[in-house]
Amino acid sequence: MHERLVDRSPVVPADQLVAQMVPPAMFDEVSFASYIPDPKEPSQAAAVAKAEEFSKRVTKIRSGGRRGLFGKKTQATGAGLYLDGGFGVGKTHLLASIFHSVPSPKAFGTFVELTHVVGALGFNKAVEALADHSVLCIDEFELDDPGDTMLVSRLLSELSARGVSIVATSNTLPGQLGEGRFAAQDFLREIKKLGSIFETIRVDGPDYRHRDLPPAPEPISSEELVSRAEAIDGATLDNFDELCKHLSTLHPSRYNKLVEGVKAVFIDGVHPATDQSVALRIVVLADRLYDASIPVTVSGARLDEIFTPEMLAGGYKKKYLRATSRLLALSRFEVAAG
């Protein structure tokens, strides 16, 4: 009998949430030297140089504050770097390289993971848990609602004042965060405060996940899906609707544990998700599957049909495009491995 994700209900103790904030395994060995800039995109080489320079600043800040009156040390303000660019241009590679090159303690997580940690610990405990860190690396920085805007603005301002350096990646400039999702003008002061923390560096180029690759693979039959799933030890096989329902019962901070140890994911009966809440949960699941390099194979609709044209025209467009890009990469991985 095949295993199912819907039968898993993992629990992550609150005190482990910060400890598990490290880069995904696929970025364990990356470095500035292993980033190969595209010669056609000069901004990439410039971004590598800026990221290396930022790491040195972080280390210098970490090694000691400024000397004030009577020789007493004062806390230096943390540095800030914002890597802005499209999908698949190596921003996460650079973010992980910064993480690996600065002193511990340090933390790395997606924007969504960070908000989940703050939600689980409470604001003050989250600040205390991160205040002694040399750097906080935030991948896929995005603001989805006014609450997140206020929360993140306060958190980063407090941490920066305590000497924690902040580096973030996103495909949205700081001044445009939240655009199209809520009345951004009402929160402009907070968004500007966020923007003032960062020095913004642009990273241009095509999505490496799609270079010279074929379009999304056609779904296979349900019968073949079952056969393939049963042939792989450690694979899971789920019905799409049942899986989406199960995701709604789990806090997104638990999705990482949900797929832990899984060798391949098979999903039967995929179809376009018409509910925004369901679609956003699929985005988080896609991120965790991608972080763990878990192949994905489906029956039903193609993986590039999960997010409807209406959703792709809305405020979460960039999230959905990133998730599609990642799911397609994982589906090709399975085709190549099979």
Side-chain angles (χ1 to χ4, degrees):
M1 184 66 183
H2 52 260
E3 190 180 349
R4 304 188 306 169
L5 291 175
V6 297
D7 295 327
R8 296 178 161 208
S9 293
V11 175
V12 183
D15 60 355
Q16 289 182 18
L17 287 172
V18 172
Q20 70 179 19
M21 291 181 72
V22 296
M26 70 171 72
F27 295 106
D28 280 351
E29 305 299 326
V30 301
S31 65
F32 298 122
S34 67
Y35 183 102
I36 310 301
D38 184 339
K40 298 176 186 174
E41 301 289 350
S43 66
Q44 293 187 6
V48 175
K50 184 59 70 171
E52 286 194 84
E53 178 189 311
F54 177 81
S55 292
K56 290 172 184 172
R57 281 186 67 198
V58 171
T59 303
K60 188 174 181 181
I61 291 169
R62 180 69 178 173
S63 65
R66 300 181 299 269
R67 294 281 176 185
L69 286 174
F70 312 113
K72 187 177 179 181
K73 270 192 176 182
T74 58
Q75 178 61 64
T77 302
L81 184 67
Y82 193 97
L83 299 169
D84 171 64
F87 308 109
V89 294
K91 301 188 303 295
T92 305
H93 181 130
L94 291 176
L95 190 68
S97 299
I98 290 171
F99 177 90
H100 292 315
S101 64
V102 301
S104 295
K106 49 196 173 180
F108 181 111
T110 64
F111 177 82
V112 171
E113 287 175 308
L114 179 62
T115 57
H116 292 160
V117 165
V118 178
L121 294 180
F123 183 83
N124 291 333
K125 283 189 176 179
V127 170
E128 291 308 316
L130 293 165
D132 64 342
H133 284 45
S134 64
V135 73
L136 172 60
C137 301
I138 309 170
D139 205 12
E140 299 147 20
F141 199 103
E142 193 58 271
L143 300 181
D144 296 331
D145 59 48
D148 279 351
T149 306
M150 306 294 281
L151 179 76
V152 173
S153 178
R154 277 186 63 210
L155 179 72
L156 299 192
S157 295
E158 289 236 8
L159 292 176
S160 179
R162 294 200 189 196
V164 181
S165 295
I166 314 287
V167 56
T169 73
S170 182
N171 46 50
T172 306
L173 288 167
Q176 297 171 322
L177 288 166
E179 222 172 58
R181 299 196 189 99
F182 55 86
Q185 64 272 20
D186 294 343
F187 301 92
L188 198 55
R189 183 175 59 84
E190 294 297 333
I191 291 171
K192 280 184 176 175
K193 191 192 297 180
L194 275 177
S196 70
I197 292 173
F198 299 110
E199 175 186 1
T200 302
I201 301 299
R202 180 75 189 173
V203 190
D204 293 307
D207 187 339
Y208 73 88
R209 292 186 289 267
H210 290 252
R211 289 176 197 164
D212 305 315
L213 288 171
E218 289 301 319
I220 60 178
S221 69
S222 294
E223 293 74 22
E224 188 181 351
L225 191 81
V226 172
S227 176
R228 286 202 199 179
E230 291 179 344
I232 299 176
D233 191 32
T236 59
L237 173 60
D238 289 87
N239 170 271
F240 181 71
D241 286 331
E242 289 178 0
L243 179 57
C244 290
K245 185 176 179 181
H246 184 58
L247 293 178
S248 71
T249 69
L250 299 174
H251 191 278
S253 64
R254 295 160 69 184
Y255 289 13
N256 201 29
K257 283 275 189 185
L258 179 70
V259 301
E260 190 174 72
V262 173
K263 300 300 181 192
V265 165
F266 293 82
I267 306 174
D268 189 26
V270 168
H271 61 80
T274 55
D275 183 279
Q276 190 111 265
S277 297
V278 172
L280 289 170
R281 290 185 200 109
I282 293 170
V283 168
V284 179
L285 179 65
D287 286 342
R288 300 294 77 77
L289 291 170
Y290 185 76
D291 287 347
S293 301
I294 299 173
V296 175
T297 307
V298 303
S299 71
R302 292 201 317 262
L303 285 166
D304 60 358
E305 296 173 336
I306 290 178
F307 307 111
T308 65
E310 292 76 18
M311 288 187 179
L312 291 174
Y316 297 109
K317 175 182 178 179
K318 289 178 179 178
K319 274 183 181 287
Y320 296 144
L321 288 177
R322 186 188 75 236
T324 299
S325 171
R326 291 182 161 188
L327 287 170
L328 292 183
L330 293 175
S331 68
R332 294 185 183 114
F333 180 27
E334 168 59 19
V335 170

